[in-house]
Amino acid sequence: MTMKKTAMAILLALILAPAASFAQVAIRVGPPAPIVEVRGNPPDRGYVWVDGYQRYDGGHYVWTAGHWDRPPHPGGHWVAHRWVHRHGEWVMIEGHWR
């Protein structure tokens, strides 16, 4: 009987795991202003600057520094992370490549 419960628990976790990646964080207090970063020169041709952003972690905002990155496909550009105010809460929209 224990083996069946364990197998069911593992199956349930595998089914629900992809849904966790769509979870959004909603916070009542807006993020602080972005930090102005010095970019410097890209490490090589074809690199794109990925802006830093304020992420929410453990009850407070934490700055995640920007960095140079190579697009995953030719002509790709970075769409920055951003916080959107919806229904009295702040929701993080994750950055992504286009």
Side-chain angles (χ1 to χ4, degrees):
M1 193 60 147
T2 329
M3 186 66 141
K4 280 186 179 180
K5 287 182 180 178
T6 303
M8 289 301 287
I10 291 171
L11 180 61
L12 183 63
L14 289 173
I15 291 170
L16 294 177
S21 66
F22 295 112
Q24 288 186 331
V25 176
I27 295 115
R28 298 223 180 258
V29 178
I35 294 174
V36 177
E37 296 180 293
V38 177
R39 294 181 185 187
N41 294 322
D44 203 355
R45 283 187 168 169
Y47 276 76
V48 173
W49 180 254
V50 174
D51 290 321
Y53 64 98
Q54 298 283 359
R55 67 181 166 82
Y56 197 77
D57 185 17
H60 62 279
Y61 287 95
V62 177
W63 180 253
T64 299
H67 61 278
W68 290 103
D69 202 356
R70 193 180 293 267
H73 50 79
H77 70 275
W78 179 251
V79 178
H81 293 77
R82 67 185 190 280
W83 287 95
V84 178
H85 195 242
R86 293 183 183 157
H87 310 292
E89 296 180 323
W90 289 90
V91 178
M92 163 66 85
I93 307 297
E94 296 288 332
H96 58 276
W97 289 102
R98 277 208 181 155

